[in-house]
Amino acid sequence: MLTRLPHISINTLTKNIHIGFRKMANVADHYNDPVSIAVIGGTGLQSLPHFTHVATLKPSTPWGTPSSPISILHHPSPSTGKPIPIAFISRHGLHHELAPHEVPARANIAALRHLGVRTIIAFSAVGSLQEEIKPRDFVVPDQIIDRTKGIRPFTFFEGGMVGHVGFADPFDNKVGKIVRQCGHSLEGEGVRLHDKGTIICMEGPQFSTRAESNMYRSWGGSVINMSALPEAKLAKEAEIAYQMICMSTDYDCWHDSGDVTVEMVMGNMKANAENARRFVGAVLDELSKEEHNEVVLAKHLEGEMKFAGGLTAAPGRSAEAKTKLGWLFPGYFD
């Protein structure tokens, strides 16, 4: 599963983050227009066909630099033909040098929001905890159980400014509905979709013990990975509509089909790579339609943190916290 492995990322599989993108002769190092949609790539999403690479950005944030440069891709709107910009970032770095607990998730999410991103489609390979979720099946999860161990920075609100955000529904229902519709439209073409599921997000980088795997099954876990958190929490704080698409690559070690191996995971990912690309491509096609503008811009989340982050009275806010959060949310806490 994606971040259950010593993550073999997009780039390990392809040796080049831009394989599958049509490159312009002169790729820019800046991009001035807002970019509303982003893809966070993980193991198994090797390329995005029919996209034109127009810029490579290397931003910095108050929380450090993102895990990889951000590629800006142009995708034609299916309704108008107008180019729609998509941001693409590789979760584990250009050479898969970042372990799950080393991914600079705050920098990734902050950089995307600063670009204008308000919808994120995140891809993850996962292990299955249930018999009916077979290797190569897709899952659009609706819940998460956090089994990380507190060593990953997981909030923007600290160091002198407190903010609380609801996390009852860790994935965005409006974007999730669109993603599910796209997945079902591909069924019968090698895609088998499970409409919901609970991700167990473990710390890693080691795989589960058999006892842990059986415990997670007893809790109602559907799949297991190492990537969903803190990404989903930070996206929620950043008022970004976030939905993960999972691809099952193996049964976790609870199953009698044998222990999880890197070879097993990679084999299933490679065999199902085209379906993964088509699924993500179909989602981006649909999100590019003008009828989804309000959802893509996450208007239903806009302003949530202005109130939540105002919990700390102005005299109690540290200068550092005000500077950082002012960068993320211009004008919110003036």
Side-chain angles (χ1 to χ4, degrees), residues 111-124:
L112 292 174
R113 178 177 168 94
H114 202 65
L115 281 175
V117 169
R118 296 296 182 268
T119 289
I120 290 175
I121 302 300
F123 188 83
S124 174

Side-chain angles (χ1 to χ4, degrees), residues 167-292:
F167 200 58
D169 295 303
F171 300 105
D172 190 80
N173 292 327
K174 294 179 184 292
V175 174
K177 181 179 179 181
I178 295 170
V179 170
R180 292 178 181 96
Q181 289 171 345
C182 291
H184 285 303
S185 74
L186 297 174
E187 284 184 318
E189 300 178 37
V191 173
R192 185 167 185 261
L193 181 69
H194 300 268
D195 267 344
K196 61 181 182 177
T198 296
I199 292 179
I200 305 291
C201 186
M202 63 179 291
E203 186 59 63
Q206 302 83 3
F207 294 144
S208 306
T209 67
R210 246 178 280 282
E212 289 169 334
S213 190
N214 282 307
M215 178 179 69
Y216 300 148
R217 279 169 46 76
S218 74
W219 289 357
S222 306
V223 295
I224 183 167
N225 80 353
M226 301 171 190
S227 296
L229 297 173
E231 235 174 52
K233 288 183 176 179
L234 294 165
K236 184 73 82 170
E237 284 190 347
E239 300 177 355
I240 294 173
Y242 177 93
Q243 180 63 59
M244 183 167 272
I245 297 174
C246 301
M247 184 178 76
S248 171
T249 58
D250 59 274
Y251 286 115
D252 204 44
C253 60
W254 65 273
H255 200 266
D256 60 11
S257 58
D259 292 346
V260 183
T261 66
V262 171
E263 291 76 17
M264 176 193 303
V265 172
M266 292 303 297
N268 279 321
M269 284 193 302
K270 289 178 180 178
N272 212 28
E274 180 56 31
N275 285 333
R277 288 193 296 270
R278 287 195 304 117
F279 192 174
V280 175
V283 169
L284 296 177
D285 254 343
E286 187 64 27
L287 289 174
S288 297
K289 294 179 179 177
E290 282 69 17
E291 67 195 76
H292 299 306

Side-chain angles (χ1 to χ4, degrees), residues 23 32 50 86 89 121 147 176 212 218 224 292 296 299 331:
K23 288 189 180 183
N32 296 326
H50 314 305
I86 308 289
I89 191 169
I121 302 300
R147 288 290 291 166
E212 289 169 334
S218 74
I224 183 167
H292 299 306
V296 166
K299 292 295 186 181

Side-chain angles (χ1 to χ4, degrees), residues 85-153:
I86 308 289
F88 184 92
I89 191 169
S90 183
R91 187 183 284 120
H92 300 288
L94 288 178
H95 307 287
H96 203 84
E97 64 272 25
L98 300 171
H101 66 282
E102 295 176 319
V103 172
R106 289 190 297 185
N108 289 350
I109 298 298
L112 292 174
R113 178 177 168 94
H114 202 65
L115 281 175
V117 169
R118 296 296 182 268
T119 289
I120 290 175
I121 302 300
F123 188 83
S124 174
V126 299
S128 170
L129 295 168
Q130 301 298 331
E131 188 79 47
E132 65 270 18
I133 300 174
K134 302 179 185 305
R136 305 188 194 179
D137 284 3
F138 292 93
V139 181
V140 181
D142 61 330
Q143 281 297 324
I144 303 174
I145 294 175
D146 189 352
R147 288 290 291 166
T148 60
K149 297 179 178 177
I151 63 175
R152 308 179 187 193

Side-chain angles (χ1 to χ4, degrees), residues 40-59:
I40 297 180
T43 310
L45 184 61
Q46 296 170 250
S47 61
L48 295 175
H50 314 305
F51 289 73
T52 302
H53 178 212
V54 297
T56 297
L57 312 181
K58 297 180 179 179

